[in-house]
Amino acid sequence: FTNGGLAAVIYEVVFKKRFYNRKIYSHSHGIWIVAMYTYAVISVSLHYLRLTSFYATIFGFCIGGLIMIFYRRDLLFDAVASGVLVALGSLPFYWILSKLSPGFIEVFWQSENLSGLLFFGIPIEDIIFYFFVGFFVGPLYEFWQSRRLKPV
């Protein structure tokens, strides 16, 4: 819940924006399209393509985010900015955990599924994962409710 909550509001807080109602077509049915495609991509990736949960989730969140952007191009900046902010926001948690429990990544991560690339001591896969959490979850409510953010 922490990741989703952070992803949902970080863009609003950093850019000091609040929702207002749009006078355009509602995308309340579109949320089902986004949910079904996201679920289908993750399921097919896991069960038929035998990808790891990391790749399956990344593909699913990417497709879901792109579908929202296809319907609402105004959400592109929100999605990318939310992705970057969530990825950057995850860094202090890793640094704190590394100080409290040195070597936790080597102990708990399956290194055979990692590229070995580190970003400030954090597996690049985790940074990518958090980017796509923000990319998908950041604009989700705005898309679903056909709302827009405006400066406060």
Side-chain angles (χ1 to χ4, degrees):
F1 293 112
T2 305
N3 297 337
L6 177 66
V9 299
I10 195 166
Y11 177 82
E12 297 171 47
V13 172
V14 169
F15 290 100
K16 294 182 172 72
K17 294 188 174 199
R18 295 291 177 257
F19 284 114
Y20 72 93
N21 290 326
R22 295 167 33 123
K23 302 284 186 206
I24 65 162
Y25 177 74
S26 171
H27 289 289
S28 59
H29 72 284
I31 195 68
W32 293 108
I33 294 170
V34 170
M36 288 183 346
Y37 273 102
T38 302
Y39 175 76
V41 168
I42 292 172
S43 294
V44 167
S45 297
L46 283 171
H47 300 292
Y48 296 106
L49 300 177
R50 300 280 185 214
L51 298 178
T52 64
S53 60
F54 166 76
Y55 288 110
T57 305
I58 295 305
F59 292 150
F61 283 0
C62 182
I63 295 299
L66 290 173
I67 291 170
M68 288 186 282
I69 292 166
F70 174 78
Y71 281 109
R72 296 245 334 253
R73 286 170 180 72
D74 62 303
L75 295 178
L76 176 62
F77 183 77
D78 181 348
V80 173
S82 293
V84 169
L85 291 170
V86 171
L88 291 174
S90 71
L91 298 178
F93 295 102
Y94 282 95
W95 294 332
I96 291 168
L97 280 172
S98 291
K99 295 294 181 198
L100 295 174
S101 181
F104 82 96
I105 290 175
E106 294 80 12
V107 172
F108 291 106
W109 272 245
Q110 295 177 346
S111 58
E112 67 274 4
N113 292 333
L114 299 177
S115 66
L117 296 173
L118 300 177
F119 182 76
F120 293 109
I122 302 163
I124 195 72
E125 289 85 356
D126 284 5
I127 305 301
I128 293 168
F129 174 80
Y130 282 110
F131 171 82
F132 280 104
V133 167
F135 183 81
F136 178 72
V137 176
L140 188 62
Y141 182 78
E142 191 176 349
F143 174 79
W144 174 35
Q145 294 296 313
S146 290
R147 299 181 88 184
R148 267 198 129 147
L149 291 167
K150 67 177 182 176
V152 179

